[in-house]
Amino acid sequence: FDNGQPWLIYWLIHGIEVLNHSSWTYNESDTPQRCIQLLKHCQHPEGGFTGGPFQIPHLAPTYAAILSIVTLENEDAYKLVDREKMYEFLLSVKNPEIKGSYLAHQKGECDMRSTYIAMVVADILNIMTDEIRDGVGDYITSLQTYEGGIAASPYEESHGGYTYCGFAAMCCIEETQKLNLSKLLFWATNRQLPFEGGFNGRTNKVVDACYTFWIGAVFALLNLCTNNACQNKGNLLVD
């Protein structure tokens, strides 16, 4: 995992945080400082974070690093981020060929995940500007399919992971009204299979724990932007 070290930090400390484990105390453990030191070595001098020391900056480890810093809730962790350089990095990975989309790294691949990460990072660090969000809403809207979900790229099928990424990005830039939310809700509710109870990520596919997470998160976000339209007697529709 030499190219994904910030991800290991994020997965581990986020899991501990979710479990609210009693051993996770900042005063008694050196884990936070050790995490911060590793992340410090992964921050690229030109902005963004790398998968490991001496690598190129990439949106995926940048996402993991920023979420790790948020989870740590540590002043030293907050001070680690160079917001000006991060802003420059985000601008450097805007896709020159498709307005509103982002590349995973300079001259890298492009799909909905990259755009999502760029919007989340900009939102968390309070560096969201018109320059960052320019064209993003229209780009994501163009990828909403006839089914109602969102695809990874043009002319592909609706996909649970990319639907979450696209919709969450729209929430970050406050342009959810551009999407057909009724079709999105219809598509999302139809991802739950009656026997297993879990969710699939695409039509006619089996259920999967990761898709249950992505689709479940879509309902939570829909609730936030539609005045609780996804609730029935106070409970989410998926309960």
Side-chain angles (χ1 to χ4, degrees), residues 44-141:
H44 196 274
E46 295 180 3
F49 286 81
T50 67
F54 311 113
Q55 299 177 25
I56 64 171
H58 190 290
L59 278 175
T62 295
Y63 177 80
I66 295 302
L67 293 189
S68 296
I69 289 168
V70 171
T71 304
L72 286 169
E73 296 183 316
N74 182 291
E75 191 66 28
D76 291 335
Y78 296 150
K79 292 178 180 178
L80 172 65
V81 183
D82 188 328
R83 293 168 66 247
E84 291 185 5
K85 289 293 186 180
M86 180 67 76
Y87 186 82
E88 293 175 6
F89 168 64
L90 293 181
L91 292 182
S92 76
V93 291
K94 293 187 72 170
N95 187 357
E97 297 182 1
I98 305 176
K99 184 178 181 180
S101 65
Y102 281 75
L103 306 174
H105 57 88
Q106 291 183 19
K107 299 182 180 180
E109 72 274 19
C110 170
D111 65 39
M112 187 57 67
R113 292 171 296 183
S114 300
T115 302
Y116 160 72
I117 290 172
M119 296 306 103
V120 169
V121 169
D123 193 32
I124 289 175
L125 298 181
N126 197 26
I127 55 174
M128 181 72 76
T129 64
D130 290 341
E131 193 174 20
I132 291 288
R133 66 166 68 90
D134 183 34
V136 170
D138 291 337
Y139 165 68
I140 296 174
T141 301

Side-chain angles (χ1 to χ4, degrees), residues 160 163 187-188 191 199-201 210-220:
T163 295
W187 178 82
R191 301 281 58 76
F199 289 76
N200 62 22
C210 70
Y211 290 129
T212 300
F213 171 80
W214 299 125
I215 300 298
V218 167
F219 288 113

